[in-house]
Amino acid sequence: NHASPPPQTATVSRHKNKNANESLGYNKFVLPMAPMLTAISALMQSSGVTFGTSGARGLVTAMTDRVCYAYTVAFLQHLEQHGRCQPGAQVAIAGDLRSSTDRIMRAVACAVSDRGYMPVSCGHIPSPAVASFGLRHRIAAIMVTGSHIPDDRNGIKYNAPEGEILKSDEESIRNQSVLLPERFDAQGMLRDGTLPATQRQAARDYVHRYVDVFPREMLAGKRLGLYAHSAVGRDIIHEILEALGAHVTRLADSDVFIPVDTEAIRPEDIALAASWAKEYGFDALLSTDGDSDRPLIADEHGRWLRGDVAGILCAKQLGADVVVTPVSSNSAVEECKAFSQVIRTRIGSPFVIEAMLRACQGSAKRVVGYEANGGFLTSSPISAPRGLLPALPTRDAVIVHLSLLWASASSNRSLSAIVKDLPARFTWSDRLQNVPTQLSQGRLEELRRDGLPAIARQFEVFGPLSTVDWTDGMRMTFASGAVVHIRPSGNAPELRCYTEGASEDQARQWNAVALEIVGQWK
């Protein structure tokens, strides 16, 4: 897993194709004479920038150019060692709108170029857009994003030519050692380096992915609100909705990054949606998280749908026969009896993708997946009104927006009426912030060792304890019908709590009670 040292020449061409170099703004560069061998596992430990549920994440202050450069080289080395790409190929790079993203994109581009690849800057576009571009052209794709987490953090999401990297890929990347040039200052920042000029093809392809397979007047007469905030996909989503005939009102654009979390919707966003629905009379409100791979959609009353409820409705509309979803998702997916098989996994898109791939090897025809955050994945081509929608096995938001609006338009029913078709199971999620992951994991391990009696005593307010599922965190089911799921976040020092009940108010109240209990762990 060690890199071979570069040839000890003072000046070499970055790429064989000189014209291509010049079109990207690169010509020649000087190789350092004494590169430093760095173990990625040690760098992860010292920097605190590690793999979470989806990509590498960490504090912006820890994500120096040196760290981001090293991880990108390790990613490419891993692909090369497994014959999945070779120097000389293109690598797509994109990013979200947070303040540190452009700097990290430059560091990634320098690593890509120094390794002998051709960086293609796709600009500020959604994570699924750059992933789709990579899949279409069979090239690696890298997204700089911290998704929904605050602006003082960021991350890098790596996609191989065949799709999002899995946990086995992460382990191999972690075990790499890379040669780092002497291009960094004492703070780990690059002394030089630029980002190629932005190419818009990936953005155009993503728009056409949807407008080419859905009827151009599918949303005619629909009045839609687009809560734009700082979502990187706000312009693209606006373009898609208007291309399909909708009248779109843009709301609350922000130049400052706003950490919209589709699993823990902020009280101010709940209030905004209700006031906008009342003021404008929208048929629906649409939004996403920061990198626009997780959807938010509200009904005509301005009530945001839970991501796992929207996922069920999307899967039904697309005619899925097998649905893969994490253990934290609403149990209405089984109770609605709409699918031949429901497969439960650990939380995180890599686990969902692995299970989807296994399902595709069987007799399933239409395999889809979704997470509690609403991000929707497809492992099979999906029939749309005007053609086949190619598989996109990474989280996507737009497919959820369009599928639910398609269901509403084709049935001439409101979104709230469509939601009422599902069994009455409601979920709520929230989190405790600034809870060290090690503390949370240690407390859960103590409870697991102490056994069911100890767990039942601590959570006795919910009634007799029926079962505990340890697939990912601690998911407790009680005789009262309450479901309480506690797990440390894989992306930040947060302790997440998911609850499920027979009504939204009940699920919300149980969530508050559960958070009060686990709050004593701090």
Side-chain angles (χ1 to χ4, degrees), residues 473-484:
M474 180 175 66
R475 182 177 172 88
M476 300 166 284
T477 301
F478 298 86
S480 61
V483 175
V484 179

Side-chain angles (χ1 to χ4, degrees), residues 311-511:
I312 299 171
L313 296 173
C314 182
K316 287 180 65 178
Q317 185 65 20
L318 295 177
D321 53 353
V322 174
V323 173
V324 180
T325 194
V327 66
S328 59
S329 294
N330 192 308
S331 60
V333 66
E334 287 96 355
E335 294 186 17
C336 73
K337 309 296 183 185
F339 314 107
S340 61
Q341 186 180 14
V342 175
I343 301 170
R344 295 282 186 160
T345 72
R346 290 179 62 188
I347 294 173
S349 57
F351 300 111
V352 174
I353 293 167
E354 287 176 350
M356 292 169 66
L357 292 174
R358 289 193 296 270
C360 284
Q361 293 170 0
S363 59
K365 293 183 175 62
R366 290 174 297 279
V367 180
V368 305
Y370 65 85
E371 297 182 274
N373 56 47
F376 201 88
L377 311 90
T378 55
S379 251
S380 312
I382 300 295
S383 295
R386 295 176 58 220
L388 281 179
L389 192 65
L392 183 54
T394 194
R395 281 192 303 261
D396 191 18
V398 171
I399 186 61
V400 178
H401 293 157
L402 296 185
S403 293
L404 268 63
L405 293 172
W406 174 23
S408 173
S410 60
S411 64
N412 198 28
R413 301 171 69 208
S414 66
L415 280 181
S416 63
I418 292 171
V419 172
K420 287 179 181 177
D421 291 341
L422 295 177
R425 294 298 297 171
F426 295 84
T427 53
W428 196 262
S429 60
D430 206 342
R431 60 190 170 172
L432 293 177
Q433 295 179 292
N434 301 314
V435 181
T437 301
Q438 188 174 6
L439 186 152
S440 302
Q441 291 174 337
R443 188 65 184 118
L444 288 175
E445 187 57 36
E446 288 176 16
L447 285 172
R448 188 168 189 170
R449 287 197 305 266
D450 293 342
L452 293 180
I455 298 171
R457 284 194 300 271
Q458 187 160 146
F459 293 89
E460 62 184 355
V461 66
F462 294 101
L465 178 65
S466 300
T467 61
V468 178
D469 186 332
W470 294 97
T471 299
D472 195 342
M474 180 175 66
R475 182 177 172 88
M476 300 166 284
T477 301
F478 298 86
S480 61
V483 175
V484 179
H485 184 188
I486 308 293
R487 68 176 287 273
S489 170
N491 297 323
E494 300 172 348
L495 187 59
R496 288 192 175 269
C497 177
Y498 311 82
T499 49
E500 186 175 319
S503 71
E504 186 174 291
D505 285 343
Q506 187 181 67
R508 184 190 299 113
Q509 291 167 9
W510 280 343
N511 198 278

